[in-house]
């Protein structure tokens, strides 16, 4: 999973590509590279490390067309030779995706004399292009595609062609035009400063971009047309606005994310559509899927929806769901949750559910993403572009969208209650962000050997999310646990060097979580508490190393409020430890491979 970009008809391709790669870097930052067409030859610069490593190498590069890549390593470790572009003969390519049959293709090509310089799966593509090129670029591209199994978004340079070729199959690719130039990139924000009009390539499309023009065909070579529209305003906001990191900027954008999501739900008439759907379809079960943070919001929604609808509602990680025989069928409502809308496991899980007959709803922050093409209905999350690899505002937007969805399925009265609760969340979140944080809490985390998070009921998915956030940005080991399960195993890990953070937003259930806290304290473990106002069992505050109070609020919005101190805790801990919270090691924002 990587970021790719291409341009043709610009003044200095290397400069344009470099800037675009900076915007795409959140998709992978193990290595980066650029190829530019200079006269009749292709010049390539590629380096291990971040995009910034290319700066010196591209100085003096001229040429009006080129391709660029920023990599998240799958096949082959991060290195100069495994970095893209991969060049051979008259071709250079950049690839996002996975070539599943690369080993057999590589063996075949090597037998025919091809020499490989990398351990990547992608390099077979450039050798196939060389093999099939007899002066007809379109023919070579189509013959190459026919041999590939897996998923691929490609940009191709050929020294006989003054532009570039772009191909999309199961990985995102967007093309743009403006000022006589043509562009392609893995996402919209990378094109925002360049193109005036954009179009999302359909599955199975090849684009030929040259001389300020672009034409399209399908994989059988038949011409197709695409409609271009202006770059959406939401894709344009990339500035840090004075914040030191995107993570804290995006946490501060939570109130707007929740507000805009509720407004979009209203504007797109989701409530009426969902209520009609529930009445007409008489679903017998609801299944929610997602990965990472999106799975945690799906799990929160499962707790909410089951209580409301009194139907079996389950949440599962998409990677598990797609390889299991399940009871999903025509009477199932399947809800796929994904910030990016391009997480391979989630998109494929939605596809699997659809082919099993389920009605599929996509809850996503990216309206033009792959998952929207699979879904029968889209419930929008309007968190705005999320750049930090760690999801924060999108999680809160997802909880708002899912709470409204669950309530709308129940009926208009429940929806009105949920809409009022979500409306109140904007001010509550702003208050929590402004006031509910203690630096002592972050210091306690930063000095712990491991940090565990516990909660019961609706607080359990929040504990999972708090733990994921801290692990991914601070690298401190730990896990999220149902408070009642702790004593069945994980308590063996508790000692004076560990910290456990308990989440309590309901008084009755909080008493049970408080017993787990007692058990931890008895073993010498440190404890911190995130507690809704008025829900603290007697004596809990005194036991805790830190105690952060959040306003008590409706169960529809509780998970999106109580998560905020945990997001801030993860952020501050990462900063104290000198980590880069926006680009944690080994991670990338969108996981478009299995
Ligand atoms: C969140 O902080 C993570 N970076 C990650 O778990 C993420 O939520 C997951 O990869 C799913 O992404 P998606 O929502 O774009 O599908």
């Amino acid at each position: 999973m990587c970021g790719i970009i291409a341009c043709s008809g610009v003044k200095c391709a290397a400069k344009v590509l470099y800037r675009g790669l900076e915007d795409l870097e959140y998709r992978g930052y193990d290595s980066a590279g650029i190829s530019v067409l200079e006269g009749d030859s292709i010049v390539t610069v590629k380096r291990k490390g971040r995009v910034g490593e290319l700066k010196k190498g591209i100085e003096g590069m001229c040429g009006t067309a080129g391709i660029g890549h920023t990599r998240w390593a799958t096949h082959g470790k991060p290195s100069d030779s495994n970095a893209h572009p991969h060049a051979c003969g008259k071709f250079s390519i950049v690839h996002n995706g996975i070539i599943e049959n690369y080993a057999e293709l590589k063996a075949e090509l090597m037998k025919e004399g091809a020499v490989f310089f990398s351990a990547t799966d992608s390099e077979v593509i450039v050798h196939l292009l060389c093999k099939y090129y007899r002066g007809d670029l379109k023919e070579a591209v189509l013959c190459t595609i026919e041999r590939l199994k897996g998923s691929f978004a490609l940009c191709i340079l050929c020294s006989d062609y003054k532009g570039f070729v772009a191909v999309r199959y199961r990985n995102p690719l967007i093309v743009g035009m403006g000022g006589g130039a043509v562009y392609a990139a893995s996402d919209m924000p990378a094109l925002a400063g360049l193109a005036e009009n954009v179009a999302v390539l359909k599955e199975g499309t090849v684009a030929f971009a040259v001389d300020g023009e672009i034409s399209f065909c399908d994989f059988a070579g038949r011409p197709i047309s695409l409609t271009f529209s202006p770059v959406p305003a939401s894709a344009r906001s990339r500035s840090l606005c004075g914040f030191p990191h995107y993570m804290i900027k995006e946490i501060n954008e939570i109130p707007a994310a929740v507000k805009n999501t509720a407004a979009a739900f209203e504007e797109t008439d989701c409530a009426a559509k969902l209520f009609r759907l529930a009445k007409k379809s008489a679903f017998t079960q609801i299944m929610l899927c997602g990965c990472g943070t999106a799975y945690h919001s799906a799990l929160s929604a499962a707790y909410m929806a089951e209580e409301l609808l009194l139907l079996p509602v389950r949440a599962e990680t998409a990677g598990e769901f797609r390889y299991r025989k399940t009871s999903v069928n025509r009477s199932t409502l399947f809800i796929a949750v994904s910030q990016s809308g391009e997480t391979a496991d989630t998109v494929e899980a939605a596809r699997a559910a659809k082919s099993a007959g389920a009605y599929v709803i996509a809850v996503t922050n990216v309206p033009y993403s792959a998952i929207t093409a699979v879904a029968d209905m889209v419930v929008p999350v309007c968190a705005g572009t999320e750049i930090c690899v760690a999801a924060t505002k999108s999680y809160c937007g997802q909880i708002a969208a899912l709470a409204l969805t669950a309530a709308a399925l129940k009926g208009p009265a429940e929806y009105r209650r949920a809409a009022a609760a979500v409306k109140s969340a904007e001010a509550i979140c702003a208050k929590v962000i402004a006031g509910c944080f203690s630096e002592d809490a972050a210091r306690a985390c930063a000095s712990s050997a491991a940090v565990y998070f516990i909660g019961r009921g609706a607080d359990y998915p929040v504990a999972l999310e708090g733990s994921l956030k801290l692990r991914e940005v601070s690298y401190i080991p730990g896990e999220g646990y149902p408070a009642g399960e702790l004593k069945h195993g994980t308590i063996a890990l508790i000692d004076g060097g560990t910290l456990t953070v308990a989440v309590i937003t309901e008084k009755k259930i909080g008493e049970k979580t408080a017993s787990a806290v007692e058990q931890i304290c008895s073993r010498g473990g440190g404890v911190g508490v995130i507690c809704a106002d008025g829900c603290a069992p007697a004596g809990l505050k005194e036991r805790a190393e830190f105690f952060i109070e959040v306003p008590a609020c409706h169960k529809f919005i509780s998970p999106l409020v109580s998560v905020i101190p945990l997001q801030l805790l993860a952020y501050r801990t990462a900063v104290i430890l000198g980590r880069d919270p926006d680009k944690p090691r080994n991670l990338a924002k969108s996981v478009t491979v299995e």
Side-chain angles (χ1 to χ4, degrees), residues 1 247 289-297 337-347 363-366 371 386 388-392 394-395 398 465 468-469 472-473 584 587-592:
M1 161 204 48
M247 185 170 182
C289 263
C291 296
T293 290
Y295 163 67
H296 297 154
S297 60
V337 188
S338 173
Q339 186 283 129
S340 61
E342 52 172 274
T343 298
D345 279 333
T346 311
V347 175
V363 177
T364 181
N365 194 32
V366 183
I371 208 156
E386 193 174 61
C388 176
V389 166
T392 52
S394 66
Y395 165 88
Q398 283 163 4
E465 177 57 10
L468 174 65
K469 216 80 315 173
E472 74 178 320
V473 299
L587 285 172
K589 184 80 181 151
S590 321
V591 186
T592 54

Side-chain angles (χ1 to χ4, degrees), residues 281-303:
S281 311
F283 296 116
T284 56
Q285 64 171 344
I286 299 178
M287 178 84 211
L288 293 113
C289 263
C291 296
T293 290
Y295 163 67
H296 297 154
S297 60
L299 188 60
S300 274
Y303 277 80

Side-chain angles (χ1 to χ4, degrees), residues 194-272:
L194 302 170
E196 285 147 23
N197 294 303
V198 286
V200 179
L201 283 194
K202 288 185 203 149
E203 278 301 332
T205 304
V206 186
F208 295 87
V210 70
D211 296 334
E213 300 283 329
I214 189 158
S215 60
F216 306 97
C217 70
D218 64 15
F219 284 2
R222 290 176 296 240
I224 50 176
S225 59
L226 279 187
T227 315
F228 280 73
S229 46
V231 178
S234 61
R236 295 180 190 273
S237 60
R238 309 288 282 181
S239 136
L240 272 165
C241 301
F243 288 98
H245 299 103
Y246 284 108
M247 185 170 182
I248 188 67
K249 174 185 181 250
E250 288 164 3
I251 291 173
N252 276 274
E253 288 168 351
I254 288 172
V258 172
K259 181 184 167 193
N260 295 339
T261 298
F265 198 90
E266 192 82 39
E267 276 158 27
T268 50
D269 208 17
C270 279

Side-chain angles (χ1 to χ4, degrees), residues 494-501 520-521 524-528 543 545:
I494 300 295
D495 62 19
T498 66
L499 177 74
T500 301
V501 181
I520 292 159
C521 292
V527 169
R543 288 267 193 216
E545 272 181 48

